[in-house]
Amino acid sequence: MPDLLVPLYSLSSLPVLEGFWVGRPLPHQSEKVLDFIGETFGSSWKAEASSAFGSVPPRIKVAVDETGRLLGFCCWDCTSLGFLGPIGVTEAARGRGIGKALVLSVLYSMREAGYAYAVIGGAGPVDFFRSICDARVIEGSDPGIYGNPIQGRT
Ligand SMILES: CC(C)(COP(=O)(O)OP(=O)(O)OC[C@H]1O[C@@H](n2cnc3c(N)ncnc32)[C@H](O)[C@@H]1OP(=O)(O)O)[C@@H](O)C(=O)NCCC(=O)NCCS
């Protein structure tokens, strides 16, 4: 799966959120958020997301419903500096614009932090990212940083 390049100088507007909220968790909420990621998306993404809580404020946004239940998450600067991801939305909550809201919210935070471009590492649903933020495939980027020798041996 290739990496994607996202220009941050031409982002579309943040969508109006309906039935959910997107924001940054606080450091003391890390255990709840990381357990959610591990249980829903697996230990590898939990490990990547754990580094998001290594800074203040954390480099992660979450989506929750009106009751505070976690619906999805999106990290940045975790896998590599300048990378967006991992990102995931629970299966039951997909198709409601939550993934789009998470991606755009994180991209605006990256732009605010001074980045001109973001990289989406090893992107699965390329068309999803292309439609949201004009993401372009980086030629020759598969396996990219994921091709290091430790890959597949842990
Ligand atoms: C990819 C994912 C985050 C999308 O979340 P979502 O909340 O369902 O996405 P949204 O509802 O915000 O969709 C936004 C747009 O992208 C489109 N879209 C959603 N998933 C798509 C996919 N897999 N491929 C292509 N387009 C997709 C939607 O149709 C929608 O288009 P529209 O605005 O024209 O209606 C979610 O399916 C997911 O968590 N998948 C598993 C984890 C994963 O693959 N993460 C990415 C790793 S790189």
Side-chain angles (χ1 to χ4, degrees):
M1 293 184 289
D3 296 337
L4 310 179
L5 188 68
V6 180
L8 299 180
Y9 44 79
S10 55
L11 295 174
S12 54
S13 306
L14 283 167
V16 176
L17 309 186
E18 288 180 33
F20 66 95
W21 173 86
V22 168
R24 240 192 259 247
L26 291 167
H28 74 275
Q29 295 163 323
S30 61
E31 190 174 343
K32 178 180 176 182
V33 172
L34 292 174
D35 283 350
F36 161 76
I37 295 170
E39 286 158 16
T40 315
F41 302 101
S43 58
S44 180
W45 281 13
K46 179 178 180 179
E48 283 186 281
S50 68
S51 68
F53 286 98
S55 69
V56 180
R59 300 178 309 274
I60 180 171
K61 303 270 179 99
V62 294
V64 296
D65 68 12
E66 300 91 340
T67 68
R69 193 165 52 99
L70 285 157
L71 303 173
F73 77 103
C74 183
C75 304
W76 71 99
D77 280 356
C78 284
T79 314
S80 195
L81 291 180
F83 272 42
L84 176 149
I87 170 177
V89 173
T90 60
E91 274 187 40
R94 288 178 194 167
R96 291 169 44 195
I98 296 171
K100 177 177 182 176
L102 282 165
V103 168
L104 280 174
S105 178
V106 163
L107 291 174
Y108 271 102
S109 291
M110 294 181 74
R111 186 167 88 175
E112 184 67 20
Y115 289 109
Y117 295 87
V119 172
I120 297 165
V126 172
D127 288 340
F128 166 71
F129 293 109
R130 190 177 279 138
S131 71
I132 291 173
C133 53
D134 196 21
R136 302 131 195 232
V137 170
I138 301 173
E139 297 299 331
S141 62
D142 185 4
I145 63 162
Y146 303 97
N148 74 63
I150 300 173
Q151 183 78 6
R153 296 185 191 174
T154 55

